[in-house]
Amino acid sequence: MLNRLQLTATVEREAELRYTPAGLPVLEMWLKHQSRQREADLERDVACEIQAVLIGKEAPRWSGKLAGQQIAASGFLAQRSLRNPRLVLHIEHVEFVKG
């Protein structure tokens, strides 16, 4: 089964680095995307906001450096928790967008 998402977005805000009970570092952030897309042979403006999380050894590396920056992120979508079906992007790769 395929579950991949690539998104260029601005990091609207970034939470403080935290750790899971198992000791894994977690960096939560909120991304805002705006672009022009082609759909059914028509151009349309699209916008969305999505919560994202970076878990593991890369989280401390990026902590405090992403807020206000435009990034290219890729990863997979999962529901927030067993009781909360809201989708969250689990980032596996992130880089700054030059521009």
Side-chain angles (χ1 to χ4, degrees):
M1 298 262 198
L2 186 61
N3 179 354
R4 299 294 308 157
L5 177 68
Q6 293 180 302
L7 187 69
T8 302
T10 300
V11 179
E12 286 290 299
R13 65 186 168 100
E14 175 185 335
E16 284 190 34
L17 184 67
R18 66 177 178 84
Y19 290 84
T20 67
L24 286 172
V26 177
L27 181 60
E28 289 185 87
M29 64 193 83
W30 289 261
L31 308 177
K32 185 173 184 176
H33 169 87
Q34 292 180 302
S35 66
R36 190 149 182 87
Q37 301 293 320
R38 188 159 192 85
E39 181 179 39
D41 293 324
L42 298 171
E43 293 283 326
R44 73 179 275 213
D45 292 323
V46 296
C48 65
E49 291 185 25
I50 185 168
Q51 185 176 1
V53 64
L54 182 59
I55 301 174
K57 64 182 180 183
E58 292 294 304
R61 175 180 168 221
W62 291 102
S63 179
K65 298 176 183 162
L66 297 176
Q69 300 295 319
Q70 189 171 31
I71 63 168
S74 62
F76 61 92
L77 293 173
Q79 66 184 43
R80 176 125 174 100
S81 67
L82 290 174
R83 294 185 179 174
N84 185 346
R86 188 168 153 196
L87 292 178
V88 175
L89 171 60
H90 286 251
I91 297 174
E92 296 176 306
H93 180 78
V94 62
E95 62 185 54
F96 289 112
V97 173
K98 296 177 183 173

